[in-house]
C-alpha cells in the first residue's frame, strides 16, 4: 500500500477486497492511519512496519492487484503499472501491457532512456519468449537513441537469444550491426549485415535489401567503394523484387557509391527521383528516413549545391535531436560544419564542430571520426599543436578498428597543416598515404575530401615533379568526370604551378580564376591568388603580384587562416625589397593624391573637399590603396609613406 492515497481510492480497494470501510476508523483510533482532507496516510515508523509485517505475501499481492483494478483513470497509469508489477509473481500480460504503453508514451515525448527502461520492465512480465524478445528489441532501440550503448547491446543480445522469428532476428541484426560498426569496426558490421540479409531473404526481400543498404553504408566509415558497390547493387536487385519499400534507400546508396566511383551517368539516372522523395521526407516524422536524408544532404555538399545541402542536413539534425539520437545529430552537424568550411564560414564551422552535441558523443567510431574531422579545421586555422594532437588521437584508434575514413581525414588534416606552415616534404608524406588509400579503394570523385590539390602542390614544392605529374593526371581525370567548380579551379591552379613558362602559368591561373567564379570557396580562391603572386614574384611581374597578394591576405585574415597569412607576409616582405619604387610605383596618380592627403591627417570629408570629389570616391580609392599595399588602416598607410619605409 502506498504511503499516501486518495480516500475514495482506498475505499474502492477495500470494497474489492470485501473489507468493512468502518475498519479505517479503528485504525485511525489506533494511530495507524491519519486522515487529511481527501487523503489517508499510513503512519510512519514502527506502526507502519507492523502493519506490513502482519500481511502475508499473498495478501500484499492481492492488495496491489486490487489497487491496480480501481486505478483505471489515465492519470493513474504509472501508479497502476507499479501495482501490477508488485502483484505479479511471474509472467503477467496485464503488467507487461501497462509498461509497454508507458514506454510508447515516453518514446513519443523523446524520453529515449526512460522508454528503454520501461520496455525492459514490460519484457520482464511478457507471457512468451517471443513477446519478451519483441519488447527487449524496443528497449534496445530506446537505449541506442539515448546514447546508452552498453544497455542497448545487452537488450539486443537478450532479444536475439530469445527469438527464432526470422523477421525480428533481422531487425535485431540491423540494430546490432550499427553498434558493431561504431564499437568494433565497420568491416565486422558489414559481415553481420550481409549474413543477416541472407538469412531473412527467403522471408522478406525488403528487409534483406535494407540490411544490404546498411552493409554498403559501411563505406562511409571505411571509404571502401570497391567492396561496397556490389553489395549496394545486390540491394537494388532485391528491392526490385520486393514490395517497393526498400527501392529508394537501395537506389540512393547505389547512386551515392557510383558518384564516388566516377559513374556519373548511373548517378544522374537515379538521383532525380530520389530528390523528389527527399523533398517530401524531410518534413515527415519517419525516423527511419534519417540515414536517407543524411546521404541526400551529403550528396549536395559533394556536388557543390550547398544551400540545398544545408536544408537537408539541418532537417536531419533537427529530426534526430527531437528524438535524442545524439550520434546522428552530431554527424549531421559535422557535415554542416564541412559545408561552412568550404564556403568560407569558418567561425560557424568551428561552432558546429565544437558544440556540446558533437563533442559529447561517446559512440567510439563516431567520436574518432569527429576528432579527425575537427583536426582539419585546426589545420586551416593554423593551430598546429591542436591539429597534431587530434590527428594523433584519431589515428591511434582508427587504424586498429579499420575506420579508414577517419584515417584519411587525419592525414589530410596533417598534410594541409604542414603545407600551410611551409613544410611541403612533411605535407607530401601525409598526403601520399591518403593517395594510396583512395587509389586502392578506387575513389574517383574529388568532391568528398578536398585533398588532391594539396597533394599536387606539396609534391611540386617538395621537388617531386614526376610524382606531381602523375598525381595531377589522376586528379584531372576525376575533375573531368565530375565537372565540379572546385576541382576545375584547383586542377588549373596545379597546372599553373607546374607550367614551364610565365605565359603558360598566367593562362592557367586565368582559367582557375574563371572557375573560382562558379563557386564561393574563398580559402581556395585566396590560395590561387597566393600561388599566382608567388609565381609573379619570380618574374618581371613582381610589381603586379602585390595586388593578388593583398587580396589573398584580406581573405586569409577574414577566415582566420593564420599560417597562410604568415606566408603572405613573408612574400610581401620579399616583394617590398624588389619593388624599390615603394607606394609611388604601385598606386595610380589619383590614389597617390588621396593617400598623401590621408597621411597628412585629413579626414575623408576633408580630402573630398580638397580634391573636389565625393566622399564615396575617396572611400573607393582608399580601399584600392589598402588592397594594393596590403594594409588595413591609416596608421599602416602612414608607415608605408614614412622615409624609413
Amino acid at each position: 500500500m502506498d504511503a499516501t492515497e486518495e480516500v475514495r481510492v482506498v475505499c474502492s480497494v477495500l470494497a474489492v477486497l470485501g473489507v468493512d470501510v468502518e475498519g479505517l476508523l479503528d485504525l485511525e483510533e489506533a494511530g495507524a492511519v491519519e486522515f487529511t482532507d481527501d487523503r489517508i496516510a499510513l503512519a510512519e515508523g514502527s506502526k507502519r512496519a507492523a502493519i506490513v509485517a502482519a500481511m502475508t505475501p499473498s495478501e500484499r499481492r492481492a492488495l496491489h492487484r486490487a489497487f491496480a483494478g480501481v486505478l483505471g483513470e489515465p492519470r493513474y497509469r504509472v501508479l497502476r503499472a507499479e501495482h501490477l508489477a508488485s502483484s505479479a509473481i511471474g509472467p503477467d500480460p496485464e503488467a507487461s501491457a501497462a509498461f509497454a504503453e508507458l514506454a510508447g508514451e515516453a518514446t513519443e515525448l523523446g524520453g529515449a532512456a526512460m522508454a528503454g527502461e520501461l520496455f525492459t520492465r514490460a519484457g520482464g512480465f511478457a507471457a512468451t519468449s517471443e513477446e519478451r524478445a519483441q519488447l527487449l528489441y524496443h528497449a534496445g532501440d530506446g537505449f541506442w537513441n539515448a546514447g546508452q550503448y552498453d544497455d542497448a547491446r545487452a537488450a539486443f543480445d537478450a532479444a536475439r537469444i530469445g527469438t527464432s522469428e526470422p523477421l525480428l532476428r533481422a531487425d535485431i541484426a540491423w540494430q546490432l550491426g550499427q553498434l558493431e560498426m561504431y564499437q568494433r569496426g565497420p568491416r565486422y558490421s558489414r559481415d553481420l549485415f550481409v549474413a543477416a540479409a541472407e538469412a531473412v531473404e527467403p522471408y522478406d526481400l525488403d528487409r534483406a535489401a535494407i540490411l544490404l543498404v546498411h552493409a554498403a553504408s559501411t563505406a562511409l566509415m571505411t571509404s571502401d567503394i570497391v567492396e561496397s558497390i556490389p553489395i549496394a547493387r545486390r540491394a537494388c536487385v532485391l528491392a526490385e523484387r520486393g514490395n517497393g519499400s526498400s527501392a529508394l534507400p537501395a537506389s540512393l546508396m547505389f547512386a551515392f557509391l557510383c558518384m564516388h566511383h566516377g559513374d556519373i551517368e548511373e548517378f544522374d539516372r537515379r538521383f532525380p527521383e530520389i530528390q523528389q522523395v527527399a523533398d517530401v521526407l524531410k518534413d515527415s516524422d519517419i525516423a527511419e528516413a534519417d540515414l536517407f536524408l543524411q546521404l541526400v544532404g551529403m550528396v549536395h555538399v559533394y556536388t557543390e549545391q550547398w544551400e540545398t545541402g544545408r536544408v537537408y542536413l539541418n532537417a536531419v539534425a533537427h529530426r534526430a535531436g527531437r528524438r535524442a539520437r545524439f550520434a546522428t545529430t552530431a554527424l549531421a552537424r559535422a557535415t554542416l560544419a564541412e559545408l561552412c568550411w568550404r564556403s568560407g564560414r569558418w567561425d560557424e564551422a568551428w561552432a558546429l564542430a565544437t558544440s556540446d552535441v558533437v563533442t559529447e558523443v561517446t559512440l567510439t567510431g563516431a567520436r574518432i571520426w569527429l576528432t579527425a574531422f575537427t583536426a582539419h579545421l585546426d589545420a586551416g586555422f593554423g593551430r598546429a599543436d591542436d591539429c597534431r594532437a587530434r590527428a594523433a588521437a584519431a589515428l591511434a584508434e582508427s587504424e586498429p578498428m579499420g575506420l579508414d575514413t577517419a584515417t584519411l581525414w587525419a592525414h589530410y588534416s596533417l598534410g594541409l597543416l604542414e603545407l600551410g606552415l611551409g613544410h611541403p616534404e612533411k605535407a607530401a608524406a601525409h598526403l601520399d598515404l591518403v593517395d594510396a588509400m583512395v587509389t586502392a579503394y578506387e575513389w574517383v570523385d574529388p568532391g568528398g575530401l578536398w585533398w588532391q590539390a594539396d597533394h599536387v602542390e606539396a609534391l611540386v614544392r617538395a621537388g617531386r615533379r614526376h610524382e606531381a605529374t602523375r598525381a595531377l593526371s589522376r586528379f584531372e581525370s576525376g575533375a573531368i568526370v565530375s565537372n565540379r567548380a572546385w576541382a576545375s579551379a584547383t586542377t588549373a591552379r596545379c597546372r599553373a604551378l607546374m607550367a614551364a613558362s610565365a605565359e603558360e602559368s598566367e593562362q592557367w591561373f586565368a582559367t582557375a580564376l574563371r572557375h573560382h567564379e562558379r563557386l564561393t570557396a574563398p580559402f581556395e580562391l585566396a590560395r590561387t591568388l597566393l600561388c599566382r603572386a608567388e609565381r609573379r614574384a619570380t618574374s618581371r611581374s613582381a610589381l603586379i603580384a602585390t595586388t593578388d597578394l593583398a587580396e589573398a591576405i584580406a581573405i586569409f585574415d577574414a577566415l582566420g587562416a593564420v599560417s597562410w597569412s604568415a606566408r603572405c607576409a613573408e612574400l610581401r616582405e620579399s616583394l617590398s625589397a624588389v619593388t624599390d619604387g615603394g607606394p609611388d610605383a604601385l598606386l595610380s596618380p589619383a590614389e597617390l593624391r588621396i593617400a598623401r592627403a590621408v597621411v597628412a591627417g585629413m579626414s575623408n570629408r576633408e580630402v573630398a573637399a580638397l580634391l573636389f570629389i565625393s566622399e564615396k570616391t575617396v572611400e573607393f580609392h582608399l580601399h584600392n590603396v589598402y588592397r594594393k599595399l596590403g594594409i588595413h588602416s591609416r596608421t599602416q598607410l602612414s608607415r608605408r609613406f614614412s622615409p624609413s619605409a
Side-chain angles (χ1 to χ4, degrees):
M1 187 173 177
D2 294 282
T4 303
E5 294 289 356
E6 297 178 19
V7 171
R8 68 179 185 85
V9 172
V10 174
C11 290
S12 297
V13 168
L14 293 178
V16 170
L17 295 174
V19 176
D20 188 353
V21 176
E22 294 296 324
L24 287 174
L25 300 178
D26 296 335
L27 289 174
E28 183 184 27
E29 288 292 331
V33 299
E34 296 178 356
F35 288 95
T36 306
D37 296 328
D38 62 343
R39 293 191 171 275
I40 180 171
L42 276 174
E44 298 297 331
S46 58
K47 290 183 178 180
R48 174 177 179 146
I51 293 173
V52 174
M55 299 175 68
T56 66
S58 61
E59 288 174 333
R60 285 196 292 272
R61 287 194 295 273
L63 182 59
H64 284 298
R65 179 65 64 172
F67 267 107
V70 303
L71 295 173
E73 297 179 39
R75 63 191 176 112
Y76 293 129
R77 59 189 181 278
V78 175
L79 189 58
R80 177 175 178 273
E82 292 295 346
H83 279 297
L84 285 170
S86 297
S87 70
I89 56 174
D92 190 310
E94 195 175 0
S96 180
F99 281 110
E101 182 181 357
L102 291 173
E105 293 174 3
T107 300
E108 289 297 320
L109 295 172
M114 179 59 69
E117 295 288 351
L118 291 168
F119 274 124
T120 300
R121 295 193 70 183
F125 295 109
T128 68
S129 61
E130 291 295 341
E131 290 176 1
R132 179 174 182 270
Q134 184 70 55
L135 291 165
L136 288 176
Y137 166 76
H138 290 305
D141 189 50
F143 289 132
W144 164 269
N145 292 334
Q148 297 177 203
Y149 303 115
D150 290 340
D151 292 332
R153 180 181 290 278
F156 289 138
D157 280 339
R160 179 175 54 81
I161 293 170
T163 182
S164 59
E165 204 281 313
L167 302 186
L168 180 56
R169 287 184 68 84
D171 292 343
I172 294 168
W174 170 61
Q175 294 281 30
L176 279 172
Q178 294 183 82
L179 276 171
E180 297 294 4
M181 179 159 65
Y182 290 107
Q183 290 188 324
R184 293 184 62 179
R187 288 183 173 81
Y188 184 90
S189 66
R190 184 167 61 198
D191 293 343
L192 190 155
F193 284 131
V194 171
E198 292 173 352
V200 79
E201 184 178 336
Y203 306 95
D204 191 320
L205 291 168
D206 289 288
R207 269 186 171 87
I210 290 297
L211 283 163
L212 290 178
V213 167
H214 283 276
S217 77
T218 58
L220 297 174
M221 303 299 289
T222 63
S223 298
D224 194 342
I225 306 299
V226 176
E227 187 73 22
S228 297
I229 282 182
I231 298 174
R233 184 181 290 111
R234 175 64 178 163
C236 291
V237 171
L238 294 182
E240 289 173 1
R241 293 164 48 202
N243 62 22
S245 62
S246 61
L248 281 167
S251 185
L252 172 59
M253 181 55 67
F254 186 52
F256 182 81
L257 295 172
C258 285
M259 178 187 71
H260 282 297
H261 199 237
D263 189 351
I264 300 301
E265 183 177 345
E266 183 67 30
F267 171 79
D268 289 341
R269 185 175 73 83
R270 292 176 178 271
F271 196 69
E273 181 184 3
I274 293 166
Q275 178 71 71
Q276 292 176 0
V277 176
D279 288 338
V280 177
L281 283 180
K282 74 176 189 298
D283 299 318
S284 74
D285 293 325
I286 303 173
E288 291 74 15
D290 285 348
L291 174 61
F292 183 87
L293 294 172
Q294 173 83 10
L295 283 176
V296 171
M298 292 172 69
V299 165
H300 286 296
V301 173
Y302 297 162
T303 57
E304 302 173 349
Q305 301 173 66
W306 291 341
E307 289 312 308
T308 306
R310 180 184 296 276
V311 170
Y312 283 106
L313 294 169
N314 273 324
V316 173
H318 176 72
R319 289 158 53 90
R322 193 172 63 238
R323 293 188 302 278
R325 294 190 171 190
F326 303 120
T328 301
T329 305
L331 293 172
R333 288 200 173 200
T335 310
L336 274 170
E338 174 65 8
L339 187 158
C340 291
W341 189 84
R342 294 185 181 196
S343 59
R345 300 156 71 165
W346 283 18
D347 288 341
E348 186 178 348
W350 183 254
L352 285 165
T354 57
S355 61
D356 289 345
V357 73
V358 175
T359 58
E360 293 178 3
V361 166
T362 58
L363 199 56
T364 306
R367 175 180 52 77
I368 294 169
W369 180 81
L370 290 166
T371 299
F373 168 81
T374 307
H376 105 283
L377 298 180
D378 287 321
F381 285 118
R383 299 167 182 161
D385 291 343
D386 290 340
C387 176
R388 290 174 181 137
R390 287 188 213 273
L395 289 171
E397 293 188 273
S398 66
E399 291 173 344
M401 284 184 66
L403 296 173
D404 290 342
T405 298
T407 302
L408 287 170
W409 274 94
H411 284 298
Y412 159 59
S413 303
L414 292 168
L416 177 63
L417 173 72
E418 299 297 352
L419 193 58
L421 294 174
H423 306 148
E425 295 85 358
K426 292 181 180 179
H430 288 293
L431 295 169
D432 285 343
L433 296 173
V434 176
D435 183 42
M437 294 176 70
V438 168
T439 301
Y441 293 145
E442 298 183 18
W443 187 356
V444 175
D445 184 81
L449 196 67
W450 281 6
W451 66 276
Q452 295 93 332
D454 296 348
H455 189 213
V456 175
E457 182 177 340
L459 291 171
V460 171
R461 294 182 185 278
R464 296 164 57 185
R465 294 186 68 86
H466 291 300
E467 294 165 272
T469 299
R470 290 195 296 271
L472 179 55
S473 178
R474 292 194 298 273
F475 184 19
E476 285 179 323
S477 296
I480 291 169
V481 170
S482 68
N483 192 31
R484 308 268 165 72
W486 173 80
S488 299
T490 53
T491 51
R493 181 175 77 209
C494 292
R495 280 291 171 198
L497 286 172
M498 301 180 67
S501 67
E503 290 74 18
E504 182 187 359
S505 174
E506 285 292 324
Q507 290 173 358
W508 280 113
F509 277 126
T511 300
L513 292 171
R514 284 197 300 273
H515 287 300
H516 278 301
E517 292 176 359
R518 296 166 50 196
L519 186 71
T520 302
F523 180 58
E524 295 295 340
L525 170 61
R527 290 180 58 185
T528 297
L529 292 168
L530 171 58
C531 288
R532 187 165 73 169
E534 289 174 326
R535 184 63 186 258
R536 285 175 168 178
T538 63
S539 68
R540 65 179 186 277
S541 304
L543 189 62
I544 62 172
T546 56
T547 301
D548 284 341
L549 190 59
E551 189 173 349
I553 289 172
I555 295 173
F556 288 140
D557 285 349
L559 294 172
V562 175
S563 58
W564 295 88
S565 291
R567 281 183 54 184
C568 289
E570 293 175 2
L571 179 58
R572 184 171 58 190
E573 288 181 9
S574 64
L575 286 175
S576 296
V578 173
T579 56
D580 57 355
D584 290 359
L586 299 174
L587 305 180
S588 69
E591 291 165 349
L592 274 171
R593 286 194 295 271
I594 290 171
R596 287 181 177 131
V598 169
V599 169
M602 291 185 180
S603 66
N604 286 5
R605 178 177 297 180
E606 290 169 336
V607 174
L610 174 67
L611 300 178
F612 300 101
I613 57 178
S614 69
E615 282 190 62
K616 285 191 175 181
T617 300
V618 174
E619 291 172 0
F620 173 77
H621 284 303
L622 195 56
H623 171 77
N624 286 338
V625 169
Y626 286 175
R627 179 175 56 81
K628 288 182 179 182
L629 298 182
I631 60 177
H632 308 287
S633 68
R634 281 172 146 77
T635 301
Q636 290 176 315
L637 181 63
S638 297
R639 289 175 183 161
R640 289 300 302 271
F641 274 81
S642 67
S644 59

